[in-house]
Amino acid sequence: MSRIVSRGAGVVSGMLGGAVAGVVFKQVWKLLAGTEEAPQAASDEYGWGEVLAAAAIQGAIFGVVKAAIDRSTSRSVHRAIGR
């Protein structure tokens, strides 16, 4: 039973983490670049530097947010089920 609860919480936290990371990235990009939208990789409007910088920032933010939410969820589940 605890494995099912843990996996279910992991799925929910993964979706939540992705949504939070997206919001955080948009705000950070707006602050850094002064534009609403980050460059898309397939867009000819932006150069390699902008596209790669946006991807690196997005990846770093996603990784940190995902790790924080996963860690918090894991600790909460373990406390709740007594492990």
Side-chain angles (χ1 to χ4, degrees):
M1 182 65 164
S2 66
R3 184 176 285 180
I4 294 170
V5 171
S6 181
R7 286 189 184 187
V11 169
V12 171
S13 73
M15 291 188 300
L16 177 64
V20 170
V23 170
V24 171
F25 171 69
K26 285 183 180 189
Q27 294 301 315
V28 168
W29 185 258
K30 201 182 313 183
L31 181 70
L32 293 175
T35 61
E36 290 287 323
E37 295 292 320
Q40 300 296 314
S43 176
D44 291 334
E45 186 178 333
Y46 303 99
W48 278 94
E50 281 181 296
V51 170
L52 295 179
I57 293 167
Q58 185 176 26
I61 289 170
F62 180 80
V64 168
V65 169
K66 182 172 177 0
I69 289 177
D70 285 351
R71 176 72 176 179
S72 176
T73 300
S74 177
R75 292 182 60 116
S76 296
V77 167
H78 287 286
R79 278 193 209 117
I81 62 175
R83 287 184 144 198

